[in-house]
Amino acid sequence: MRTTDLDQRGLTEIPAGVLADHGLEHLNLYHNELTELPEELWELHGLRVLNLADNRLRHISPSIRRLSKVHTLDLGHNELSALPEEIGELPALSEYLYVSGNRLTELPDSLCRLKNLRYLGATDNQLTRLPERLGGLKSLRELRLYHNRLTALPESIGELDSLRELHLRGNRLSELPETIAGLRELRMLDLRENQLTELPEALRTLPKLQKLDLRWNKRLRLPEWLGTLEENDCYVLV
């Protein structure tokens, strides 16, 4: 894989020579001082891995849809307040999408078309809602949403039947949908620091759950069936 590694160089713009390398497959621009991206970047159609994390980006062009071979995309720790709908038009995006540490209040509905995506990290933003069709992410194995402002989860979350880890710490959830019973592959569920008052009995039916973290939900009434999970070798923290 042809790689250009330009992390931690103090760059304020991408070098012209990099933008002219149309055979480039892996571009690492982590931890620079980029505030905007040139349109030429989206002409690097051979890119498979693009790391733009820890810059000062405030906008991602709709032209990102041209990166039809990208399977790993890191936009974390920038100053983004929105993602373009076109991010859902990246057919090869399957390994990793990381948008944590931005200023996002929502994720685009088009994201749910990424049916091959395995990892989504959107922690430490200002998310107040999730797309209603979240269940379209059929290959998702790990979903990290901690430290946002979520008050509810969409019913379709139960359609994520490949999901193994769900991290929801530090939100404002007061309840969970009964459809969570559909998460038959779930191993880890982190619900710390929410506003839960009760748990759906559907949780006791999850056959592969190994860890359930309920700490710091001050008003949570613990159900009698919680002991059943522990008997089935699930580590429960309260």
Side-chain angles (χ1 to χ4, degrees):
M1 180 178 289
R2 187 184 298 183
T3 300
T4 295
D5 194 345
L6 294 172
D7 64 307
Q8 304 182 70
R9 305 290 180 92
L11 297 175
T12 58
E13 59 183 28
I14 302 174
V18 172
L19 297 172
D21 187 356
H22 291 279
L24 194 60
E25 295 177 278
H26 184 149
L27 177 56
N28 180 11
L29 290 162
Y30 167 75
H31 195 53
N32 281 289
E33 300 292 330
L34 301 174
T35 58
E36 57 184 9
L37 301 170
E39 281 295 306
E40 291 88 343
L41 176 63
W42 316 119
E43 298 299 327
L44 300 179
H45 299 156
L47 278 180
R48 299 179 185 274
V49 178
L50 178 58
N51 186 349
L52 294 166
D54 204 6
N55 279 278
R56 296 163 56 192
L57 301 173
R58 295 184 177 181
H59 174 72
I60 299 296
S61 170
S63 299
I64 194 173
R65 65 179 180 274
R66 298 175 187 167
L67 301 183
S68 60
K69 295 183 179 180
V70 161
H71 62 68
T72 298
L73 178 61
D74 192 340
L75 301 173
H77 306 287
N78 279 285
E79 300 175 14
L80 301 172
S81 58
L83 298 175
E85 285 287 337
E86 288 77 8
I87 205 165
E89 299 178 23
L90 298 175
L93 192 54
S94 59
E95 297 296 324
Y96 185 88
L97 175 58
Y98 188 78
V99 294
S100 295
N102 280 286
R103 301 172 181 174
L104 303 174
T105 58
E106 62 181 11
L107 299 175
D109 291 339
S110 65
L111 200 69
C112 304
R113 297 202 296 266
L114 299 174
K115 61 181 181 179
N116 296 316
L117 185 64
R118 296 179 186 176
Y119 177 99
L120 174 58
T123 72
D124 301 286
N125 279 287
Q126 301 167 27
L127 299 177
T128 58
R129 60 173 292 272
L130 296 174
E132 288 300 320
R133 298 181 180 177
L134 188 69
L137 297 170
K138 301 298 284 185
S139 299
L140 205 62
R141 294 189 177 184
E142 189 167 340
L143 178 56
R144 292 181 176 263
L145 295 166
Y146 55 78
H147 296 147
N148 279 287
R149 301 176 183 177
L150 299 172
T151 58
L153 300 177
E155 293 287 326
S156 69
I157 196 167
E159 298 171 20
L160 299 176
D161 48 21
S162 295
L163 195 66
R164 296 185 178 186
E165 295 187 23
L166 178 55
H167 298 263
L168 294 164
R169 178 179 183 172
N171 279 281
R172 301 173 183 177
L173 300 172
S174 59
E175 62 180 4
L176 301 174
E178 288 287 344
T179 55
I180 204 167
L183 303 180
R184 310 299 288 175
E185 293 294 323
L186 196 66
R187 272 78 161 173
M188 165 67 180
L189 178 56
D190 187 353
L191 294 167
R192 285 176 289 176
E193 297 179 61
N194 277 281
Q195 299 172 14
L196 296 171
T197 58
E198 59 183 9
L199 298 173
E201 193 165 353
L203 282 181
R204 71 185 296 187
T205 69
L206 299 180
K208 298 184 179 180
L209 193 61
Q210 297 172 356
K211 184 176 181 180
L212 174 61
D213 201 334
L214 301 168
R215 289 176 290 175
W216 305 304
N217 283 275
K218 297 180 180 179
R219 294 179 289 175
L220 179 61
R221 297 186 297 272
L222 298 178
E224 294 181 0
W225 52 259
L226 208 56
T228 304
L229 285 178
E230 294 179 306
E231 292 172 3
N232 292 329
D233 296 323
C234 177
Y235 184 36
V236 180
L237 294 167
V238 295

